[in-house]
Amino acid sequence: QVFLPLSTLPRLGPKKLYLHEAIGMEVVDQNLGSLGRITRVFDLPEQPVAEVIFREKEVLFPLVSQFILKVDRQKQQLLVELPYGLVDIYLNA
């Protein structure tokens, strides 16, 4: 494995982020509002998955550009529009 200093990573656009950046970011869904902060990121072969604790429940969602509206690095916020019903699956489990 090769590791580089974080300062050498190229800057990303407004809808992209490095996985290490995501941890600790507040997730704000366009429809539900604040879902909490990302506690973990699972780098799965299919796609990365983020974890937040929302209403005392673990909620997982794909950390993909299709759901990301904006990455606000200054505010440490990830603005998303998650698919309708995704969060409800976790809340009603």
Side-chain angles (χ1 to χ4, degrees):
Q1 292 183 353
V2 176
F3 296 94
L4 296 172
L6 296 179
S7 61
T8 63
L9 293 174
R11 292 188 63 104
L12 297 177
K15 289 183 64 174
K16 296 190 180 218
L17 74 161
Y18 291 108
L19 297 183
H20 71 272
E21 287 183 289
I23 297 172
M25 280 192 163
E26 177 187 16
V27 178
V28 180
D29 182 75
Q30 187 173 23
N31 300 305
L32 298 172
S34 179
L35 301 179
R37 297 202 174 272
I38 295 176
T39 53
R40 289 192 288 182
V41 174
F42 302 96
D43 190 11
L44 302 177
E46 300 82 16
Q47 62 199 6
V49 174
E51 173 192 70
V52 296
I53 304 300
F54 179 61
R55 297 185 188 164
E56 300 180 14
K57 300 272 186 162
E58 175 189 69
V59 175
L60 302 173
F61 65 93
L63 198 54
V64 294
S65 61
Q66 292 90 332
F67 302 148
I68 297 173
L69 300 175
K70 182 180 177 189
V71 177
D72 190 329
R73 288 175 176 83
Q74 286 186 332
K75 291 183 180 178
Q76 282 291 292
Q77 286 184 334
L78 182 62
L79 306 174
V80 299
E81 184 174 9
L82 298 180
Y84 178 78
L86 177 68
V87 174
D88 292 333
I89 292 170
Y90 293 97
L91 298 180
N92 298 323

